[in-house]
Every structure is written in C-alpha cells, then in structure tokens.
C-alpha cells in the first residue's frame, strides 16, 4: 500500500486547510520541484552557450535534466523531447510544422472526446485544404470504438489525433491497439496524454506513439509541457524557429525563444520523487533501473487512486438523481479518478457553488472538451460536475466530499 502520509509531506500546499479536487486542471507542486526552481535561479540564471564557467555548468545541468525527462517517458534519446509552455502550444507547433509536408485532399482524424488542444490545431488545417474527419464516441458506452475508426481511415489519412484519457470521461483508451491500426493504414498518431500523465506511467516506445504530449503542471511539476516525437519524424520536418536552424537541429527548431531553463531544470525534482518513493516503499531492495522505480511508483499510485474512485463512485452510482458521465466502474485498468456527473434537477454550476462553502475545490464546465459536452446534450446543464482526484488525496477527503454531496444532491 502507498504511504499516504509520506506522499502528502512532499507537497507543501497540502499543509493548509483545503481539499484540492480540481487536480485535472492543475495539480499541486512537489516541494523538490519548487526547490529546484529556486536553486537554478539563485546559482545558474545565465544564458547558455557562453564560454564562462557558470554558463557551462548551467548547460550541463539542463542537458542532464532533459536526459532524465527522456528516461522518465522511455524515449530512445533526449532529442526526442521538445519542451514548451503548454500542451496547446506544442500541438499547435506540431500541426504547423508537419502540415507543410501535406497536400490538399490529405486527411486528419480527430475525436469529439478530446480537449481542444488536440482538435483545433488540426481542424484549422481545413484552411489549406486538409480534410478533417471526426471519430465520435459511442453515446451509449461513452467509449471510442476502434471499429468506427476503421471506417474513417483511408489512403489519404495522414494522422489520427486522440486522447490517451478523456479529461471528462476518465476512460483510458487502448493506445497500442489504436496505434497499430493507424500504422497499418500508413498514417501517424498524435496522443494527448495530459489527463493520463498524473496517474499512470508513460512508455512512449511501448505505446509506439509517433507524437505524445502532456503538461507537467498537471503532473506535479511547474507550468510547462513536453512533446515526445520519434526522432525520424522530428528530423524530416521543417521547424518554426529562426531561419538559421536547420532540419537537423532537433529539438531546437521547434522551440522558438528556447525552453524555460529554471522550469525544465526543476523537473529533476519530479524524477527524484519517484526514486525516493521507490526507496520509501522497498527500503531493502536491490538496485533496480530507473524505469522500474517509476513503474513501481505509478503502480502504487494506481492502487491508491482505485480505492479513492471506489468511495466516490459507489455513492454516485446509488444516487438515483445522478448520472455518471463515463465509466461507472472504478477499476484502475479502465479509468483514472477523474469523475464527472450531472444531476437530474440541479445544474452543474449550482452544485459546485454549494460545495465551495465546505473548503473543497471541485469544478463544473466543459473543460475545453466542448464537442463532447455538445454531442452529449449537456450544455443546458452548464457542463458536468468534475471531481478530479490524484494520489495525494486521501480516503478521508473523499468521504468528506460524499457527506457534502449527501446534503446537496
């Protein structure tokens, strides 16, 4: 079992009297990450590439941080990691750069379950003659059916953009199965992992994703994002940086103005957290590879989050006025603890505003998954109520929320 007391000590914000359950919008930040930001700005706040010692040291530290990040997601080389300010910006950059290789009549497939970050950047390509198809969720099962994707794929399909996990439904999609199908059709995949990254280990080589994007600020880090891209795919694209950057300048050609130094360096605090979590839970174990430590940490996280989901879903499933929007099961294999619902009588904003008085932070709305909310007919409810839990939440906190719900639902 995960040592929840140890976990909570690693997050300074959790020492206050407030329950954070809007974590899918942005998680709390590890103390080690905060310390790394301060340390970098204090000791190495210089421009890179100079000959003097502090600049050389700063470059070495950032190169090491990038290497650790690439190991964290199991990229084959550090150059496959593109750092940027947000997932939305990185996906926009990708769409601009990769579409230069496409011609009028080529096709992209997007879903109606995604955050607009992985939709608008592709649908906007209609302006240059790219056809866009919509892979829609099954309105009965609230899942993306692979058989529906098969009917959309054609010889003109260049890319399929989809989410690893919906930020409303909480459903984990079968990325490997989807990717295999798309690759057989001769196309690429772009996976939005923002809602997945806080909860499960990401192994980009195992998934065989061509591009994979997520935000660190929703996974216990600073307001920063990264895009993984297979090196051969990144290499063949024109970039978006200054004219003197060449195609071989990966990843710099996708990072105009460079990446944020102190925030990138601070990600070492996150990788260290998973190493320490491993030691905390297996103190007498033999030395193991870094990837194994990360895997063990996420296994502990998944098990704890499953228990949290069970508490909340058992209550919501038994309330006749509540309809869960997404899987009603709490199994860790099929969903993460991002749980959304609507009420038969109350609008979603009215519910959340009543919860605010109890010093519990949840949220209502469409969460930029506007097409999903519209297609499910939930606009009149002002979207869904979303409770987004992570591993630093406690069973006691969830029970406290359930007691509040019993009073107002």
């Amino acid at each position: 079992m995960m040592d929840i007391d140890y976990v909570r000590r690693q997050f300074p914000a959790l020492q206050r009297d407030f329950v954070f359950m809007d974590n899918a919008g942005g998680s709390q930040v590890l103390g080690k990450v905060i310390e790394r930001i301060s340390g970098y700005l204090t000791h190495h706040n210089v421009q890179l590439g100079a000959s003097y010692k502090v600049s050389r040291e700063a470059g070495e530290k950032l190169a090491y941080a990038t290497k650790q990040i690439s190991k964290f997601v199991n990229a084959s080389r550090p150059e496959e990691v593109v750092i940027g300010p947000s997932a939305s910006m990185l996906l926009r950059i990708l769409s601009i750069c990769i579409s230069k290789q496409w011609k009028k009549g080529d096709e992209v497939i997007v879903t109606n379950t995604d955050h607009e970050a992985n939709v608008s950047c592709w649908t906007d390509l209609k302006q240059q003659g790219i056809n866009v198809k919509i892979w829609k969720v099954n309105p009965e099962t609230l899942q993306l059916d692979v058989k529906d994707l098969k009917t959309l794929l054609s010889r003109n399909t260049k890319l399929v953009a989809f989410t690893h996990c919906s930020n409303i439904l909480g459903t984990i999609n079968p990325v490997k199965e989807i990717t295999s199908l798309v690759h057989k059709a001769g196309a690429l995949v772009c996976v939005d992992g923002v809602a997945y990254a806080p909860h499960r280990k990401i192994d980009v080589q195992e998934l065989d994703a061509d591009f994979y994007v997520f935000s660190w600020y929703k996974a216990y880090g600073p307001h920063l994002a990264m895009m993984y891209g297979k090196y051969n795919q990144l290499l063949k694209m024109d970039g978006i940086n200054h004219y003197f950057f060449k195609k071989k300048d990966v990843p710099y050609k996708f990072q105009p103005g460079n990446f944020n130094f102190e925030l990138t360096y601070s990600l070492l605090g996150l990788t260290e957290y998973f190493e320490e979590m491993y030691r905390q839970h297996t103190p007498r174990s033999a030395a193991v590879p870094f990837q194994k430590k990360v895997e063990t940490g996420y296994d502990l996280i998944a098990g704890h989050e499953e228990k949290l989901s069970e508490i909340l879903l058992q209550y919501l499933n038994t309330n006749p006025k509540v309809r869960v929007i997404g899987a009603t099961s709490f199994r860790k294999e099929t969903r993460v603890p991002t749980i959304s619902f609507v009420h038969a009588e109350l609008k979603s904003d009215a519910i959340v505003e009543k919860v605010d008085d109890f010093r519990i932070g949840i949220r209502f709305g469409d969460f930029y998954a506007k097409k999903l909310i519209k297609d499910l007919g939930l606009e009149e409810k002002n979207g869904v109520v979303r409770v987004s839990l992570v591993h630093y939440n406690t069973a006691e906190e969830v029970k406290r929320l359930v007691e509040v719900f019993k009073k107002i639902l």
Side-chain angles (χ1 to χ4, degrees), residues 73-86:
V73 299
N74 198 28
S76 63
R77 54 196 294 175
E79 292 87 351
E80 292 181 325
V81 172
V82 182
I83 300 294
S86 68

Side-chain angles (χ1 to χ4, degrees), residues 206-229:
E206 173 69 15
L207 296 171
D208 198 23
D210 300 293
F211 306 100
Y212 194 104
V213 181
F214 69 93
S215 301
W216 292 105
Y217 75 95
K218 298 184 180 184
Y220 322 115
H223 205 290
L224 197 69
M226 67 154 280
M227 177 178 71
Y228 159 83

Side-chain angles (χ1 to χ4, degrees), residues 87-132:
S88 296
M89 180 60 77
L90 288 170
L91 286 162
R92 179 69 61 173
I93 289 172
L94 175 62
S95 72
I96 291 170
C97 295
I98 198 170
S99 64
K100 293 179 181 178
Q101 305 173 0
W102 300 343
K103 63 184 185 300
K104 187 175 180 179
D106 286 340
E107 297 174 353
V108 174
I109 299 172
V110 299
T111 85
N112 70 336
T113 66
D114 277 67
H115 184 291
E116 278 295 312
N118 201 26
V119 179
S120 295
C121 62
W122 305 112
T123 56
D124 286 351
L125 297 178
K126 292 178 182 178
Q127 301 169 10
Q128 62 188 65
I130 303 298
N131 296 326
V132 179

